[in-house]
Amino acid sequence: MAEIQEKGGGGGKGGKKRSKKQSTKIDMTPMVDLGFLLLTFFILTTTFAKPQTMEINMPVKPDKEEEQQALKASNALTLIADENDQLFWYAGLPDAPTAPGMQLTDYSANGLRKILLEKRSNPNLTVLLKQTDKSRYKNMVDMLDEMNITGIRKYAIVDVDPRDTKMITEAKAK
């Protein structure tokens, strides 16, 4: 039978009995498992950036020096990378009867690329790429990139000649 309690002046606790509230508890274990499964999935399915390389075919060294063909000065274009990202160039060879004029340019589209596109009209053009000891590796990569962009397939990586060094110092003095 139901019982009604009246408030009395007595010293008892009286009143409504309330149940104790329990704290809500969420089990996070499944969510952590799901997070790690997603992380593992994305790590395993991601393809990482593959390094880009440029294929350079080096010619076979001839057995006899007589087998080498001499390069004509009219077919030669020399590019020399120097310190402070300077790029010197001249058309021809340093030992040609008409001394080539050393000129300064840069690696931009209006610099090196423009020169290469102008000289590309010669089908027998051979570009000689040279790099001084003070130049950076990036400069040689930039020159090789420009060879690839302009479509010039005939080029050689050559050591700097003492005559080239002399012409560079003369060009810097001007």
Side-chain angles (χ1 to χ4, degrees), residues 83-102:
E83 64 184 340
N84 299 327
D85 294 334
Q86 292 180 323
L87 179 64
F88 293 95
W89 71 277
Y90 61 88
L93 297 171
D95 57 356
T98 58
M102 182 75 71

Side-chain angles (χ1 to χ4, degrees), residues 25-44:
K25 183 179 175 186
I26 299 174
D27 188 15
M28 295 295 287
T29 307
M31 190 175 295
V32 171
D33 286 344
L34 181 64
F36 279 110
L37 284 173
L38 284 172
L39 182 66
T40 305
F41 172 77
F42 286 119
I43 287 175
L44 294 177

Side-chain angles (χ1 to χ4, degrees), residues 77 79 87 89 105-118 127 129 139 142-147 150:
L77 174 67
L79 303 174
L87 179 64
W89 71 277
T105 189
D106 57 6
Y107 297 94
S108 69
N110 291 329
L112 177 59
R113 188 174 304 164
K114 186 176 179 182
I115 294 165
L116 292 174
L117 289 173
E118 288 172 1
V127 180
L129 304 175
N139 298 337
D142 289 342
M143 288 191 293
L144 290 170
D145 284 343
E146 290 299 327
M147 295 292 124
T150 56

